[in-house]
């Protein structure tokens, strides 16, 4: 059984990796200054405290990442075609649907929003909380309403297969 | 390869000029913000090409700063957005050269379509899609190519950081602009009347965009 990781520490780790990437190399000084910088940033700009714990499923993550790359390519082609074809802009649908999530976990909501941002012709234009659930308002370009709903629903299932979250 | 890169640069400059025009003439504040993002993304692409053409030119820090500037800039206009790059080192030079050429051609094509989309699509939301997706892929192409060719691993790493940032920040910026647009009541434009096959889409459009004006 894999371990549950605290969302806080996952975030700190990602920030440190980002810091090291900015400097371009790993050294003791870079790690120490990175830890100091992250502590400072977290102190100056504290985020809402979260008690979420995450269990990462590597196969699910790889599937999700592969899907993200594929989505980025196809969504770019899709929007590019709409922009280039003579009648494309006039025929492209532009609509909004709401998607109610299974819960309102910030990590899952953030991941979903990010991935919808790279999926063919979709963009999150609003997030609100309704009781226990987060509701995403998703804008679709050049896609049918039913297809858009199905796409967002299957994306949530894929995200939850990659990241098991508990509060 | 130099020829392809120079041609890409010319294409990018053309796109940047058009996008710059859009920054001035955009119909709404949101449109101008979208265009501004596009100009920045194109500038980053141009810098990546610069690195490819002159390997001794250390522009990776400028690229990172420009990426972060993209975030801050959009934050200033509405609520946000940004940019970045890829990996691996030298050795198999000819393979890498081939990849660079392919990336440059694809990247230039996407830059053109993003620019056209920003002008042609009919509502602000559509134009956000145009600016965020093809522009992101275009930046990924050029930054990835530059990272592949860089001799210094530290440079490659920074370019990859920029690439990943681009992937992360692009959608965030579009998302924030989208929220701003919805909240300020920017309207959805239905498909043209001249396309009857889309009648169903139009009907559902009307039902789901309710509340637009009351938000």
């Amino acid at each position: 059984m894999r371990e549950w990781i605290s969302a806080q520490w996952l975030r700190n780790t990602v920030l440190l990796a980002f810091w090291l990437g900015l400097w371009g190399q790993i050294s003791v000084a870079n790690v120490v200054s990175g830890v100091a910088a992250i502590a400072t940033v977290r102190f100056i700009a504290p985020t809402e405290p979260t008690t979420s714990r995450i269990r990462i499923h590597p196969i699910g993550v790889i599937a999700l990442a592969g899907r993200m790359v594929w989505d980025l390519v196809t969504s770019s082609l899709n929007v590019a075609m709409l922009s280039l074809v003579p009648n494309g802009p006039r025929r492209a649908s532009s609509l909004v649907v709401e998607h109610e999530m299974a819960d309102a976990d910030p990590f899952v909501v953030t991941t979903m929003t990010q991935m919808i941002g790279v999926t063919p012709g979709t963009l999150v234009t609003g997030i609100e909380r309704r009781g226990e659930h987060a509701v995403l308002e998703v804008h679709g370009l050049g896609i049918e309403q039913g297809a858009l709903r199905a796409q967002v629903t299957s994306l949530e299932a894929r995200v939850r297969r990659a990241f098991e979250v508990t509060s | 390869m130099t020829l392809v890169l120079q041609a890409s640069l010319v294409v990018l400059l053309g796109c940047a000029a058009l996008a710059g025009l859009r920054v001035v003439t955009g119909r709404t504040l949101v449109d101008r913000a979208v265009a501004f993002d596009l100009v920045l993304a194109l500038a980053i692409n141009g810098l990546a090409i610069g690195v490819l053409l002159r390997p001794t030119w250390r522009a990776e820090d400028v690229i990172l700063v420009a990426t972060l500037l993209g975030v801050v800039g959009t934050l200033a206009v509405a609520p946000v957005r940004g940019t970045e790059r890829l990996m691996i080192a030298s050795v198999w030079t000819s393979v890498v050269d081939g990849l660079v050429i392919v990336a440059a051609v694809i990247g230039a094509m996407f830059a053109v379509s993003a620019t056209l989309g920003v002008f042609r699509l009919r509502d602000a939301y559509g134009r956000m899609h145009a600016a965020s997706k093809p522009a992101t892929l275009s930046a990924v192409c050029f930054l990835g190519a530059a990272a592949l060719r860089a001799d210094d691993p530290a440079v490659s790493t920074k370019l990859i950081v920029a690439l990943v940032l681009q992937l992360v920040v692009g959608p965030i910026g579009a998302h924030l602009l989208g929220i701003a647009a919805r909240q300020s009541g920017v309207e959805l434009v239905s498909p043209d009347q001249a396309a009857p096959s889309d009648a169903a889409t139009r009907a559902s459009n009307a039902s789901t965009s309710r509340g637009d004006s009351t938000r």
Side-chain angles (χ1 to χ4, degrees):
Chain A
M1 220 7 140
R2 270 176 298 275
E3 285 176 33
W4 292 95
I5 304 165
S6 144
Q8 302 268 18
W9 283 104
L10 184 63
R11 180 161 48 192
N12 291 344
T13 310
V14 169
L15 284 174
L16 183 60
F18 177 52
W19 176 269
L20 293 174
L22 285 177
W23 286 102
Q25 57 184 355
I26 298 174
S27 73
V28 175
N30 283 346
V31 173
V32 171
S33 60
V35 169
I38 292 165
T40 310
V41 168
R42 298 295 299 269
F43 177 74
I44 295 173
T47 48
E48 216 175 300
T50 168
T51 53
S52 297
R53 300 185 83 76
I54 298 160
R55 186 148 63 188
I56 299 170
H57 296 273
I59 295 176
V61 172
I62 292 168
L64 192 64
R67 179 76 197 191
M68 182 164 162
V69 171
W70 172 249
D71 281 349
L72 180 62
V73 174
T74 52
S75 70
S76 295
L77 287 174
N78 190 30
V79 177
M81 283 311 287
L82 281 177
S83 313
L84 295 174
V85 169
N87 261 330
R90 294 206 298 154
R91 270 187 307 217
S93 62
S94 176
L95 51 87
V96 166
V97 300
E98 287 190 344
H99 172 75
E100 186 174 283
M101 312 218 352
D103 58 34
D105 184 84
F107 181 84
V108 179
V109 171
T110 308
T111 310
M112 281 281 290
T113 304
Q114 191 66 34
M115 298 212 53
I116 288 170
V118 296
T119 309
T122 59
L123 185 67
V124 174
T125 53
I127 304 172
E128 57 183 285
R129 192 175 180 132
R130 251 173 239 165
E132 295 295 295
H133 308 279
V135 177
L136 301 185
E137 188 185 274
V138 183
H139 179 262
L141 175 73
I143 184 171
E144 298 283 318
Q145 193 178 22
L148 180 55
R149 280 188 202 286
Q151 195 172 309
V152 178
T153 305
S154 78
L155 178 64
E156 182 176 358
R158 258 183 273 122
V159 170
R160 290 187 188 280
R161 250 176 266 143
F163 303 103
E164 200 178 335
V165 177
T166 177
S167 51
Chain B
M1 186 176 75
T2 309
L3 248 180
V4 175
L5 288 174
Q6 284 166 346
S8 304
L9 198 55
V10 170
V11 170
L12 281 179
L13 283 175
C15 289
L18 285 171
L21 180 69
R22 186 77 187 184
V23 172
V24 182
T25 64
R27 269 169 257 178
T28 63
L29 183 61
V30 170
D31 273 322
R32 290 193 287 273
V34 165
F36 179 73
D37 278 349
L38 185 56
V39 171
L40 260 176
L42 293 172
I44 289 162
N45 287 352
L47 288 171
I49 295 181
V51 172
L52 285 165
L53 286 171
R54 293 196 191 159
T56 53
W57 191 42
R58 311 300 298 263
E60 68 275 8
D61 292 325
V62 180
I63 291 177
L64 281 170
V65 170
T67 299
L68 295 174
L69 196 78
V71 188
V72 179
T74 315
L75 263 176
V77 231
V80 183
R81 111 155 229 161
T83 311
E84 50 22 51
R85 355 167 161 169
L86 264 199
M87 47 153 283
I88 313 182
S90 45
V91 189
W92 31 310
T93 326
S94 59
V95 179
V96 169
D97 282 1
L99 287 175
V100 169
I101 290 174
V102 171
V105 171
I106 296 176
M109 272 165 40
F110 278 125
V112 170
S113 78
T115 307
L116 278 178
V118 162
F119 276 89
R120 296 189 64 209
L121 291 171
R122 304 178 73 206
D123 60 16
Y125 303 97
R127 294 192 282 269
M128 267 174 232
H129 285 282
S132 76
K133 292 171 175 114
T136 300
L137 197 67
S138 173
V140 167
C141 285
F142 285 117
L143 291 171
L148 272 174
R149 284 208 97 215
D151 296 327
D152 182 349
V155 173
S156 292
T157 312
K158 287 186 194 178
L159 287 170
I160 293 160
V161 168
L163 194 155
V164 174
L165 258 183
Q166 188 76 55
L167 281 174
V168 171
V169 180
I172 292 177
H175 165 58
L176 288 173
L177 278 175
I179 289 180
R182 288 289 284 172
Q183 288 183 346
S184 56
V186 174
E187 286 176 14
L188 298 164
V189 175
S190 321
D192 217 12
Q193 312 289 333
S197 63
D198 283 338
T201 314
R202 221 165 36 239
S204 61
N205 200 352
S207 72
T208 50
S209 60
R210 83 248 169 303
D212 233 14
S213 53
T214 58
R215 291 177 68 104

